[in-house]
Amino acid sequence: MFKQSTTLVAAIAILVALLLSALAALKQYPDDLRLLRDHRQLAAELRILILKRRDALLNDLASPIAGNPEADVALVSFFDYNCLPCRAAGLNIQQAIRDDANVKLVFKEFPVLGSNSEFAAGAALASRQQRKYEAFHLALMNFPGVVNKRTTLTIAGRVGLDVEQLKRDMEDPATADAIARNRALASGLHITGTPALVVGDEVIPGVVDLVRLQRAIADARATAKAQPTTSADLAF
């Protein structure tokens, strides 16, 4: 009899625990729905914002490009040279470009980690005057330590830049203006940190793994093909 009572008490305890767990899940359910609704609303807003800022995303002459200039899909990358996740993200982006010859990469220098990053971004943009941007960009991204003023200029010399000329080119107000436009663009798209990637009608924060990135490229391409376009249209 005692054994049966013990078993019954244990069964009741389990049922109570399950009931409490179910009640907790029900309590959380409205929060989950609210988060999902907020996410969908943000995604819908971003689709409109991206379309309105298409020219700034794709056609700012101060933004360097890589890959195929005539590509049907563009990736717009916001990054900081001292952002470690940006380095991992950059490797996936570079691989995606190698795997797909019909993709263009637009670089948006977006220094958010202080004066060292600001200096490196300015130097990178100024390096375009010597046609060394991509080599310099990759060297900065692959540097294993902190990218500061000293290491930036050291790396510049290693990739074949005339460092004194680079310093003079960095004084051009157009360099600071380009970074300011990138900041304004990021703010308008609710981008507050790095890395961030715009592809298709989506803003993707953080490191995007290669499989997801390739899927995003394919989705952007399919969406663009399904919509009426002109010869000047390009999918993100």
Side-chain angles (χ1 to χ4, degrees):
M1 183 70 176
F2 177 76
K3 184 176 181 182
Q4 289 177 340
S5 298
T6 303
T7 303
L8 180 60
V9 169
I12 291 172
I14 292 172
L15 287 173
V16 169
L18 290 172
L19 180 59
L20 290 174
S21 177
L23 288 173
L26 286 173
K27 185 178 179 181
Q28 179 65 34
Y29 185 63
D31 292 335
D32 292 342
L33 283 179
R34 185 162 53 251
L35 288 173
L36 179 60
R37 183 177 65 248
D38 291 346
H39 176 75
R40 288 176 175 172
Q41 287 175 345
L42 177 59
E45 180 185 355
L46 284 172
R47 283 193 290 272
I48 296 170
L49 292 174
I50 289 170
L51 185 61
K52 288 181 176 179
R53 289 160 175 78
R54 179 187 180 87
D55 193 54
L57 284 162
L58 296 179
N59 300 322
D60 187 336
L61 295 179
S63 296
I65 65 171
N68 180 358
E70 305 300 324
D72 66 352
V73 174
L75 307 177
V76 184
S77 175
F78 292 79
F79 58 89
D80 181 303
Y81 290 113
N82 280 307
C83 160
L84 294 180
C86 292
R87 300 177 186 183
L91 293 175
N92 292 335
I93 291 170
Q94 292 294 327
Q95 186 61 53
I97 292 174
R98 284 193 292 269
D99 291 344
D100 189 331
N102 209 16
V103 173
K104 176 172 78 170
L105 172 61
V106 182
F107 298 93
K108 295 293 185 182
E109 299 280 348
F110 185 41
V112 294
L113 296 176
S115 59
N116 286 329
S117 295
E118 186 95 19
F119 184 88
L125 288 175
S127 72
R128 297 185 72 199
Q129 300 298 322
Q130 298 182 53
R131 301 181 183 278
K132 291 281 187 179
Y133 176 84
E134 190 169 359
F136 191 27
H137 166 83
L138 291 174
L140 288 168
M141 276 296 184
N142 291 329
F143 184 69
V146 175
V147 176
N148 54 32
K149 294 181 180 181
R150 180 182 60 81
T151 54
T152 294
L153 296 178
T154 298
I155 294 167
R158 288 176 182 171
V159 300
L161 283 159
D162 180 328
V163 175
E164 294 307 314
Q165 182 62 50
L166 180 69
K167 291 178 182 177
R168 290 191 291 272
D169 291 336
M170 288 177 68
E171 295 175 1
D172 187 340
T175 298
D177 289 346
I179 293 173
R181 287 197 302 278
N182 290 348
R183 285 198 171 107
L185 179 61
S187 177
L189 295 173
H190 302 303
I191 295 172
T192 58
T194 57
L197 190 68
V198 180
V199 53
D201 57 6
E202 184 180 12
V203 175
I204 309 176
V207 179
V208 185
D209 67 65
L210 184 59
V211 172
R212 185 185 178 194
L213 179 54
Q214 290 171 332
R215 185 168 63 248
I217 291 169
D219 289 345
R221 183 171 287 137
T223 299
K225 287 181 178 178
Q227 296 173 344
T229 60
T230 67
S231 59
D233 283 332
L234 176 72
F236 291 81

